[in-house]
Amino acid sequence: SAVISQKPSRDICQRGTSLTIQCQVDSQVTMMFWYRQQPGQSLTLIATANQGSEATYESGFVIDKFPISRPNLTFSTLTVSNMSPEDSSIYLCSVEFWEAGTGELFFGEGSRLTVL
Amino acid sequence: GENVEQHPSTLSVQEGDSAVIKCTYSDSASNYFPWYKQELGKRPQLIIDIRSNVGEKKDQRIAVTLNKTAKHFSLHITETQPEDSAVYFCAANFNKFYFGSGTKLNVKP
């Protein structure tokens, strides 16, 4: 399996500010994803973080609001820009880790953001 | 993208009973179907998965079945225990992972 470190684990932010979440994996992985989990809700895919190219965003998510970097195969960042209270959520980094021909999805611990 | 529907949203069973959670998916190209358990305040954890070339898979008290023709798959938990209480998510994968809406399972002692 993969060990995924995500930070910050939680933060309280002011409306209109931006926050960058970091995700570090202990091994090289091809596929990294960012999810959002609003309180009591499911996991919604924000984007696929592509190494060396722009992220691929899902419907309803745009680069200006959620810029993503993926400088190498072990690291990615997600920025939540110009935050509003509606952005209060848990943001999860995840990776697809392949071993013995099987790919499984693993999650970081999540970053709980509260926007005031 | 893929559309995954999950039922029921809540499920309450007596300890020792069985629990069944069902999911359907829309994209016939999906070929991998994992199930995750999420306890309060924790990250989702993979508990079992099944691939499209298999109809059923079992791991102790947990089993998953897949019907590719009907595009649905199910999680079965037998002899439920209070520690099985959590939210369970199904997912479908073809390049990306899309999740169902979740089932909150409550096992009453």
Side-chain angles (χ1 to χ4, degrees), chain B residues 69-103:
Chain B
T69 303
K71 294 185 198 170
H72 67 70
F73 55 114
S74 301
L75 176 71
H76 304 253
I77 305 174
T78 58
E79 301 172 25
T80 54
Q81 301 167 3
E83 50 265 39
D84 293 330
S85 296
V87 179
Y88 291 80
F89 293 100
C90 64
N93 167 255
F94 179 67
N95 295 327
K96 305 176 190 178
F97 292 78
Y98 295 96
F99 286 79
S101 53
T103 297

Side-chain angles (χ1 to χ4, degrees), chain A residues 2-6 37 43 90 92-93 106-110, chain B residues 36-46 87 89:
Chain A
V3 176
I4 306 167
S5 302
Q6 200 176 323
Q37 187 173 33
L43 300 144
I90 298 173
L92 293 135
C93 170
F106 294 92
F107 287 90
E109 293 177 343
Chain B
Y36 288 81
K37 175 182 181 182
Q38 187 175 33
E39 296 176 331
L40 191 63
K42 297 189 177 180
R43 76 185 88 185
Q45 297 275 14
L46 178 69
V87 179
F89 293 100

